Amino acid sequence: MNPMRGGLAGVALAALGVGAHGFAGGGYPGSSGLMMLVLVTAALGALAAALRPRAALPVLMVAGQPLCHLALSGLVQHGHAAHAMEFADHGPMVAAHTIAAVGCAFLILIAERLYGLISRTVRVVSSRPRAAATRAAYPRRPRSTPTPKTLLALGASGPRAPPVTA
């Protein structure tokens, strides 16, 4: 689970959904549409945090844009839900939402990758080097290993046998 990806996806879906919707001439939401948008994008952000493959994020964000559109246009105008279903018929609206979703998904994936690289670099730079790490690179060989010949000289009949006198 990646909470950074989920949080960024939820916030970006809301911001870009409102921006793309307004840019395409759909208007800006009132309080009820904005609250519905927050609920929809929070659920999609939680889903994005639970996704394993990174390639699924752009698909989720593109699929989430019609839901954002429904929250923005279908619920803002009470009784005019038929206009909310015209999302697929309005070309500039679909293009604005799709471009916003794909661009945002790739920016989130780039930010996630850069965050991992920068945090790893800071950890490496801020930690002390270990002296034992250089010694562990060359394994030591034991100095004296008993051979069967020396074991027989000590009174054993074999490497794992009891002494001969027993």
Side-chain angles (χ1 to χ4, degrees), residues 57-140:
L57 184 63
V59 174
L60 175 72
M61 292 193 66
V62 168
Q65 287 300 311
L67 294 174
C68 291
H69 178 77
L70 284 173
L72 289 170
S73 58
L75 299 175
V76 173
Q77 303 162 348
H78 299 289
H80 293 29
H83 295 291
M85 297 302 183
E86 295 175 354
F87 177 74
D89 297 336
H90 195 252
M93 183 74 72
V94 172
H97 278 285
T98 303
I99 290 170
V102 171
C104 181
F106 285 121
L107 287 176
I108 289 171
L109 293 176
I110 289 169
E112 182 181 359
R113 178 75 175 156
L114 287 175
Y115 176 77
L117 291 173
I118 290 171
S119 66
R120 189 176 309 124
T121 302
V122 168
R123 264 185 274 136
V124 166
V125 169
S126 65
S127 66
R128 287 192 218 170
R130 292 189 211 165
T134 58
R135 283 189 224 139
Y138 303 105
R140 283 195 251 166

Side-chain angles (χ1 to χ4, degrees), residues 12-40:
L13 271 168
L16 292 176
V18 169
H21 194 77
F23 180 74
Y28 294 101
S31 63
S32 63
L34 191 60
M35 184 53 72
M36 194 62 174
L37 180 71
V38 167
L39 291 174
V40 166

Side-chain angles (χ1 to χ4, degrees), residues 154-157 162-166:
L154 294 174
S157 62
V164 177
T165 57

Side-chain angles (χ1 to χ4, degrees), residues 1-7 9 42-54 56-57 60:
M1 181 175 252
N2 192 340
M4 184 181 85
R5 183 189 312 157
L44 290 171
L47 185 61
L51 289 175
R52 279 283 185 217
R54 293 179 179 181
L57 184 63
L60 175 72

